Amino acid sequence: MKVDLVQHTPDLIPFLAKIASICYNSDPKNQMGLIKHLYESGHHSVFEHAWFTWRIEGVSRTLTHQLVRHRMCSFTQRSQRYCNEDGFEVETPPSIEQTHETSQKYADCISAIKDCYNDLVLDGIPNEDARFLLPNACYTQLYVSCNLRELMHIANERLCSRAQWEIRKLVRKMCDTVVAITPELSQFLVPKCEAHKVPYCPEKKSCGRHGTLSQLLDEAREQGWNDRDKAGTKNA
């Protein structure tokens, strides 16, 4: 997997602070303080003015099927309709690589698909029809662009340990390229459980890092009952 940040808004923190200051005709002295205030107070529309573009290679079609669900991004992807995929490479899930038997079954299946794809193309079948054989594991290339607000949302969803492993790896790399040029943004590009002042897991099933909201509420109620019981015993 290769992820390159090929274009981005320069001087991002001063740029966003300047945009935000127009609301109150102010001249912010603490630019990062203002950005943090906007984030914590939920005024995220300002972040839509900052843009990033990445070139991404060596990811599977399984991943891009998930990635394009982030509709506020722009995508331009290698076309299997027009491009010949002779000798295509694939992503192999770690779970399949755990044993020789499953690895061999997977490799044999991919090899058979390659042979059949090549035979069809040699027989005059158009690429756009031969591609019906291609697996979701097939590597692809694409450009992705999005604004900072959408990147924060993607990080919230896809850095979660409940997210699928390949897209979690991709988003981690995307965020790392941004943090490399603007380290101050690292505090915003986090899984959703870390985006709250009081961390909790909003998923139905937690990875164990934090309790779910319902668990926290149950604990609070139980603590409240215990406190009342203790107070009642003391007064008695």
Side-chain angles (χ1 to χ4, degrees), residues 130-159:
R131 67 173 172 159
F132 277 70
L133 281 173
L134 297 175
N136 280 335
C138 189
Y139 276 158
T140 187
Q141 305 172 23
L142 70 159
Y143 282 92
V144 179
S145 296
C146 73
N147 63 49
L148 178 56
R149 185 180 193 175
E150 181 63 9
L151 180 60
M152 291 191 300
H153 169 69
I154 293 172
N156 291 168
E157 296 299 321
R158 303 299 186 173
L159 293 182

Side-chain angles (χ1 to χ4, degrees), residues 2 7 17 19 31 40 42 48 51-52 61 74 82 96 100 119 123 133 138 166 173 200 216 219 223 234-235:
K2 185 177 180 182
Q7 184 170 284
I19 288 177
Q31 295 176 338
E40 293 178 347
E48 295 175 13
W51 279 82
F52 309 93
R61 283 268 175 165
S74 298
Y82 294 106
I96 292 177
H100 174 73
D119 287 345
D123 288 340
L133 281 173
C138 189
E166 189 186 12
K173 286 179 175 290
Y200 68 90
L216 293 180
E219 291 174 4
Q223 183 62 45
K234 184 177 180 179
N235 291 336

Side-chain angles (χ1 to χ4, degrees), residues 197-223:
K197 289 185 178 180
V198 181
Y200 68 90
C201 176
E203 294 284 327
K204 185 175 182 180
K205 184 177 180 181
S206 172
C207 69
R209 187 176 185 183
H210 299 293
T212 62
L213 180 58
S214 61
Q215 289 173 332
L216 293 180
L217 291 174
D218 288 343
E219 291 174 4
R221 293 189 190 99
E222 184 177 351
Q223 183 62 45

Side-chain angles (χ1 to χ4, degrees), residues 91-110:
E91 181 65 62
T92 302
S95 60
I96 292 177
E97 291 182 317
Q98 286 182 354
T99 69
H100 174 73
E101 181 181 5
T102 54
S103 293
Q104 192 59 53
K105 286 180 179 178
Y106 189 81
D108 290 345
C109 181
I110 296 299

